[in-house]
Amino acid sequence: MSTNNKSAPKRRVTVGLMWHSLGSGNLGVGALTESNIAIVRGVAEKLGLALRFVVLGTSDAGVPELAAELRAAGHELEVTRIRVFRREFREAVRRCDLVLDIGEGDSFADIYGLKRFMFYWLSKNIVCLLGKPLILSPQTIGPFDGAIARILAQQVMRRCARVFARDNLSTAYLKQLGISGNVDEAIDVAFRLPFIRPARPADGRVRVGINVSGLLFNGGYTGNNQFGLSIDYAATLRALLADLSARPEVEVHLVSHVIEPHMPIEDDVHAAKILATEFPGVILSPVFTRPSEAKSYIAGMDFFTGARMHACIAAFSTGVPVVPMAYSRKFNGLFGTLGYAHVADCKVESQVQVLKRIDDALRAREQVKQQVDVALQLVAERITRYEDVLARALVKG
């Protein structure tokens, strides 16, 4: 009598997801987390493995819908807030067979201060000291402008099983640091965030999505052009909205991607509402609770522009022509790696140049979409590279 292999219990592998978060008001961080879960899950299911995900981040908030989805597929999900100096953190790491650290996308750097850097550095070393293989999932690496941070970053990255850059600028930077033997280059995992494309109304209107960064709108945390922009960001958005609002064929949607009602300086919703009162013809997007909701909404646009990188990735990965409004090297690195030139550099270009870039791409959106589609083939190849490393690590786990 033959044995039914489907009834045989699957080997379970515990994967720690360090510096990921399901409860962040920044949907970009949530997008990284849910996307990495989707990628690892896909690899594991091809290998016939069951997974226990342990999310180790800055919040202990979970997503019940995601937990239910994973449970229905035979996987488990638990969420623990990182407290690096507490025993609970070490115990959580000990239960892991493998740890993936995404550094919240761009936080393994000292641009946010040495204290924050030290938490990221120490947590990585604890994982290595406990003998757990540590993979840095695709992310922006650096910069490390201070000598202390640079030396410490070199030390811990040499201990990692693999270091994935998400763009060629980060790879070049790693080479400058002398880190090469365990380095690979993929792409931002959020390209794999699941979404549902909405039905399109047959009214012939051109739907233009604009992500308003509350942080840039308010001049950064300092309120005084903290990021050194070459434009007045708020004035540029007002000029853009004045232009688009005067076009009867255009329907403008203000799409928020960072939802922080208790931190108005960061909150996209607050900034979008201010602009909506000045331009009453625009449409405010819903206040999203999951990054996949935002991506599904953005997928219904004909064109998109914005200063939150993961809002732009949501557009790009759904085939929507997009002009990212770059305020840091992470934009130029990511989209430049894909050979995509339709990026407005808000640290170099003037308001006239930025608005012209957006207008030119909007008018030529069909041709721009073709370039997006070509670049998405490269995205698929790069994520496959990451999946292959994960497959080998999961088999060992």
Side-chain angles (χ1 to χ4, degrees):
M1 193 171 179
S2 63
T3 302
N4 185 353
N5 290 329
K6 290 184 179 180
S7 63
K10 295 181 179 179
R11 183 168 71 89
R12 188 172 298 279
V13 178
T14 299
V15 178
L17 299 175
M18 192 161 73
W19 299 115
H20 292 65
S21 179
L22 291 169
S24 174
N26 185 335
L27 296 179
V29 178
L32 290 171
T33 303
E34 293 202 36
S35 301
N36 219 12
I37 286 173
I39 290 171
V40 179
R41 173 185 169 181
V43 173
E45 288 177 352
K46 287 180 182 177
L47 295 170
L49 300 172
L51 295 172
R52 177 183 294 106
F53 290 105
V54 180
V55 178
L56 300 162
T58 55
S59 168
D60 57 7
V63 178
E65 299 89 345
L66 176 62
E69 292 165 13
L70 291 170
R71 191 162 51 247
H75 307 296
E76 298 175 7
L77 175 67
E78 62 179 86
V79 182
T80 303
R81 184 176 177 183
I82 286 186
R83 293 178 173 87
V84 174
F85 297 105
R86 294 197 180 182
R87 183 181 62 189
E88 290 83 357
F89 173 65
R90 297 189 296 275
E91 290 176 347
V93 171
R94 284 192 181 98
R95 290 189 286 110
C96 295
D97 300 299
L98 167 69
V99 176
L100 307 178
D101 178 347
I102 210 160
E104 295 186 308
D106 66 350
S107 290
F108 192 42
D110 62 356
I111 58 175
Y112 300 109
L114 187 60
K115 180 179 178 181
R116 180 169 169 176
F117 165 81
M118 291 300 294
F119 279 105
Y120 284 79
W121 171 80
L122 181 59
S123 62
K124 291 170 175 55
N125 271 293
I126 289 172
V127 172
C128 295
L129 283 169
L130 293 174
K132 304 299 180 179
L134 175 63
I135 294 176
L136 300 195
S137 293
Q139 60 191 275
T140 300
I141 306 291
F144 306 107
D145 293 327
I148 293 174
R150 191 159 51 249
I151 292 168
L152 294 177
Q154 290 168 315
Q155 173 267 326
V156 76
M157 284 192 288
R158 289 193 175 103
R159 302 186 72 179
C160 294
R162 207 75 180 157
V163 175
F164 273 96
R166 67 178 174 185
D167 60 76
N168 53 20
L169 293 181
S170 290
T171 302
Y173 186 67
L174 283 165
K175 188 175 181 180
Q176 290 178 26
L177 294 176
I179 309 296
S180 59
N182 60 345
V183 169
D184 210 330
E185 185 178 304
I187 202 68
D188 196 292
V189 297
F191 281 96
R192 281 286 184 86
L193 181 68
F195 73 101
I196 299 172
R197 192 179 299 278
R200 289 296 313 276
D203 57 7
R205 303 200 74 189
V206 179
R207 284 164 179 79
V208 175
I210 301 175
N211 162 247
V212 180
S213 166
L215 188 59
L216 296 187
F217 191 82
N218 290 300
Y221 298 110
T222 64
N224 188 29
N225 191 20
Q226 179 183 2
F227 298 99
L229 301 186
S230 55
I231 61 170
D232 181 324
Y233 176 77
T236 301
L237 284 183
R238 288 184 168 102
L240 176 62
L241 286 170
D243 175 35
L244 294 177
S245 297
R247 304 186 193 187
E249 77 281 6
V250 171
E251 181 179 281
V252 178
H253 295 245
L254 299 183
V255 182
S256 298
H257 212 258
V258 171
I259 321 295
E260 293 285 4
H262 303 297
M263 298 178 65
I265 200 166
E266 280 203 52
D267 188 29
D268 293 358
V269 177
H270 182 71
K273 285 181 176 178
I274 291 173
L275 291 172
T277 61
E278 299 175 22
F279 300 91
V282 305
I283 297 170
L284 286 172
S285 72
V287 177
F288 306 111
T289 58
R290 287 182 70 179
S292 54
E293 293 175 2
K295 184 171 182 176
S296 297
Y297 189 92
I298 292 169
M301 300 294 108
D302 297 297
F303 180 83
F304 194 81
T305 187
R308 297 289 189 185
M309 192 171 79
H310 281 99
C312 295
I313 289 174
F316 198 100
S317 59
T318 57
V320 175
V322 57
V323 175
M325 298 178 70
Y327 67 91
S328 79
R329 75 163 197 183
K330 64 183 180 182
F331 287 84
N332 309 78
L334 181 78
F335 291 101
T337 296
L338 297 174
Y340 187 73
H342 300 284
V343 177
D345 194 333
C346 297
K347 291 176 71 72
V348 174
E349 297 176 325
S350 68
Q351 175 175 307
V352 171
Q353 291 172 314
V354 168
L355 292 175
K356 186 176 188 304
R357 278 193 181 275
I358 295 170
D359 184 58
D360 288 348
L362 173 59
R363 294 181 186 278
R365 60 187 176 278
E366 291 303 322
Q367 292 91 335
V368 176
K369 177 174 169 48
Q370 291 174 12
Q371 295 174 41
V372 170
D373 292 340
V374 170
L376 287 176
Q377 297 175 22
L378 181 58
V379 167
E381 294 171 6
R382 286 172 167 269
I383 290 183
T384 297
R385 191 181 305 163
Y386 176 52
E387 289 173 326
D388 290 343
V389 171
L390 289 177
R392 293 193 290 273
L394 289 172
V395 168
K396 290 180 181 178

